[in-house]
Amino acid sequence: MIELQNVSRSFTVGDQQVSALRDINLRMDAGEYISIMGPSGSGKSTMLNLLGLLDRPSSGTYLLDGGNVTDLTDEQQAQVRREKIGFVFQSFHLVPRLTAAQNVELPMILAGIAPEERKQRVEVLMQNYGLSARADHRPDQLSGGQRQRVAIARATVMKPTVLLADEPTGNLDRATGWEVLKLLEGLLEQGITLVVVTHDTEIGARAHRQIHMLDGAIRSDERHTT
Amino acid sequence: MKLTDTLQFASGSLRGSPTRTLLMILAMSIGVASVVVLTALGEGARRYVVDQFSSLGTNLVIVLPGRTETAGLGPGMLVGQIPKEITLDDAQAIMGSRAVKRIAPLTVGSATLSRDALNRDVVVLGSTSDLLEVRHMSIGVGKFLPAGDIHESASVCVLGNQMKQELFGNEQAVGQWVRLGDRRFRVIGVLSSQGESMGMRTDELVIIPVASAHQLFNTSGLFRVLIEAKNRDSIEQAKSDAEAIMFQRHAGEKDVTVITQDAVLATFDRILTALTMAVGGIAAISLAVAGVLIMNVMLIAVAQRVKEIGLLKALGAPPKQIRSLFFAEAALLSSIGSVAGLVLGYIGSTIIGQVYPSLPVSPPWWAVIAACGTALGTGILFSVWPARRAARLDPVAALAGR
Ligand SMILES: Nc1ncnc2c1ncn2[C@@H]1O[C@H](COP(=O)(O)OP(=O)(O)OP(=O)(O)O)[C@@H](O)[C@H]1O
Ligand SMILES: [Mg+2]
């Protein structure tokens, strides 16, 4: 469960204050499927970065699973990221010198999980995502869709409770984008909270809950039961 | 994150940019190798000098005619001026000191050594039977000079190994007669080959009783008196005794110089050790240069890998872990560089050793440890700043490549 209370985030550019988020109040329950939409510069990525503890709010409180994570140290926040949060980026962010399997293994290495278990978990995931044949390929030997699937495997290998995706289909053609989206939606069955930032209204409409942002504030927050 | 994983990840990123990695290892190894080679040379020079001195004899005290104003090794001492001479009786009187074990008076001249039609100009040494022990010579065939009255001449000689070869070839020399100037001498022994020591080639010497030498060269003075002290502790006593005895016998005139081998040796030892350390220190500067190079390249690496660092942070790597990854890279680089440098250095010293066989080149252990320590130290020290910079990157900016 996620709760933002009066959260603001402003940046200092030169001697000007730019407000990226203004006084956001928001609650997301475990297992929800949420899309965030809005024009460019409306604060979608800033919000996602705050939710993922990559950034700190200028004011306000962030509660994750009931605990206040705003005041945690860098080390503690890193641990929360490691254990509870998965990221999927528009530009994949795979490490170019590592193979697909090694990229998926990376979060477990950082978490200090034993090699045997790592190997086993990577194998299962690669199989599930249809990547077994590509395990030893480097990112530059993979197609865009394959890269994003590797990135999703990497984001889920630590079994996070929240998955944050910033325009996951932005760099993919339509068909591949849909495949990737289906893969993400499949994770809902495991009870994950899925937050997808997108420009694509058709994709955004698939989410059970749609948040529209404008100028750093939430303009509308609608639930659909499909 | 486990240590083995840290090292593996670091070595992976090093392998990811092989040219950069090789250049850094090269810089490190050249630094280490130059420390090793230069100190090996210095240490070799020191050992060479020490060996040369020790081959002269142990616990040696040397009396030479003439007074040198400055203590230690002066020019007058080497040239050997001719003030009042030291006689055989003077030399024998020195035996009166309790600190003295034995003495060997020394007269030097040159003469023509001949056998049948073969002639050689040789250095002739006049001395006594004790020279063998005092001067650490060893006899190959036959006997050395006979013991007996120091004043008594005898027509016997001992040949250096090379002289024997030149005059007799493979024939038996002992028992044969040779001619030195206008006198005939019977060969009673041949020295075993010893090579060079302190500029005097014992292989090319002819040794005859000191009294015979005096007759041959028509002199009565001695070139040196070599004194062997009873033991190491009595060297100083032997020296002052010799000085006192000579002072008394020469009617209160200080006209001889007495030096100890130890004092001269210690001076050389100090000078050459200092020299070795200085040279090693200069070489260590190249290690510091290598360290700065590592820092530079690491900073570039941090700049080139911001996205990767951002990703690692997003995946939950705390700042400490990012730092250790960069430290591990630096440590790996320096240790590989050190090992490569040691190998290079030892190969270099071995080659020098082959080129100058008389120089006992081998790097001193302290220089090897210091070189590796400095390499590791500078490598890690100079990676502190890049590592901290990486750890402090803002994850959002880093992911955006800013
Ligand atoms: N590091 C920063 N420094 C200064 N201003 C920033 C920074 N990051 C974001 N902003 C500003 O904050 C506002 C919101 O940015 P944000 O990236 O969240 O928008 P977005 O909704 O994700 O846009 P897009 O759809 O283009 O990705 C923008 O006006 C942007 O200029
Ligand atoms: Mg954005």
Side-chain angles (χ1 to χ4, degrees), chain B residues 90-312:
Chain B
D90 289 339
Q92 269 193 314
I94 293 171
M95 276 305 287
S97 159
R98 278 196 291 116
V100 173
K101 188 170 177 188
R102 45 184 157 232
I103 62 153
L106 223 55
T107 297
V108 181
S110 66
T112 307
L113 175 70
S114 55
R115 178 198 176 220
D116 302 335
L118 289 169
N119 295 309
R120 287 284 177 283
D121 283 328
V122 293
V123 176
V124 178
L125 222 61
S127 192
T128 60
S129 58
D130 278 342
L131 180 69
L132 189 72
E133 296 288 333
V134 173
R135 194 54 185 66
H136 284 188
M137 293 172 168
S138 69
I139 197 88
V141 188
K143 290 199 287 285
F144 198 66
L145 298 179
D149 186 356
I150 190 170
H151 292 283
E152 206 157 280
S153 65
S155 296
V156 292
C157 70
V158 175
L159 297 182
N161 195 275
Q162 192 182 333
M163 282 303 115
K164 185 259 165 189
Q165 285 299 327
E166 289 183 9
L167 258 64
F168 293 95
N170 288 330
E171 278 177 57
Q172 162 96 4
V174 174
Q176 306 259 31
W177 289 84
V178 293
R179 195 167 264 286
L180 261 181
D182 53 359
R183 287 161 182 267
R184 276 164 39 92
F185 289 83
R186 195 163 56 87
V187 179
I188 56 168
V190 178
L191 294 174
S192 55
S193 182
Q194 266 186 315
E196 194 168 347
S197 87
M198 291 310 282
M200 192 180 265
R201 297 188 55 88
T202 52
D203 287 354
E204 293 172 7
L205 286 179
V206 175
I207 302 169
I208 59 176
V210 64
S212 309
H214 279 156
Q215 288 169 9
L216 184 64
F217 300 125
N218 196 21
T219 53
S220 54
L222 291 173
F223 171 66
R224 298 280 187 271
V225 181
L226 305 180
I227 302 168
E228 187 183 330
K230 281 243 162 60
N231 51 48
R232 213 185 158 74
D233 297 330
S234 50
I235 291 176
E236 278 308 311
Q237 183 64 45
K239 182 187 176 200
S240 55
D241 282 358
E243 273 169 349
I245 291 167
M246 292 308 294
F247 183 69
Q248 190 201 345
R249 289 184 60 89
H250 283 193
E253 274 215 62
K254 286 195 172 178
D255 57 359
V256 297
T257 303
V258 182
I259 56 169
T260 65
Q261 178 198 15
D262 256 31
V264 180
L265 181 58
T267 309
F268 270 110
D269 199 17
R270 265 203 310 279
I271 293 173
L272 289 167
T273 304
L275 207 68
T276 305
M277 287 173 79
V279 166
I282 292 169
I285 292 175
S286 64
L287 275 177
V289 173
V292 174
L293 184 74
I294 286 199
M295 175 167 70
N296 235 315
V297 176
M298 289 286 245
L299 283 174
I300 296 170
V302 171
Q304 279 176 346
R305 300 211 318 248
V306 266
K307 283 196 183 181
E308 184 183 321
I309 295 164
L311 172 76
L312 289 176

Side-chain angles (χ1 to χ4, degrees), chain A residues 49 54-55 74-75 78 81-82 87 89 93 95 97-98 106-107 109-110 112-114 118 154, chain B residues 1-2 5 9 12-13 307-308 311-321 394-396 399:
Chain A
N49 291 336
L54 291 178
D55 197 5
D74 284 354
E75 309 273 329
R81 278 201 298 273
R82 209 157 55 222
F87 288 98
F89 307 95
H93 280 306
V95 181
R97 65 164 185 282
L98 299 181
L106 195 51
I109 293 179
L110 294 175
I113 292 173
R118 298 202 303 243
R154 183 182 62 193
Chain B
M1 194 166 176
K2 293 189 168 65
D5 288 328
F9 191 87
S13 42
K307 283 196 183 181
E308 184 183 321
L311 172 76
L312 289 176
K313 291 195 156 194
L315 294 181
K320 204 172 68 192
Q321 221 165 64
D394 170 46
V396 176
L399 278 169

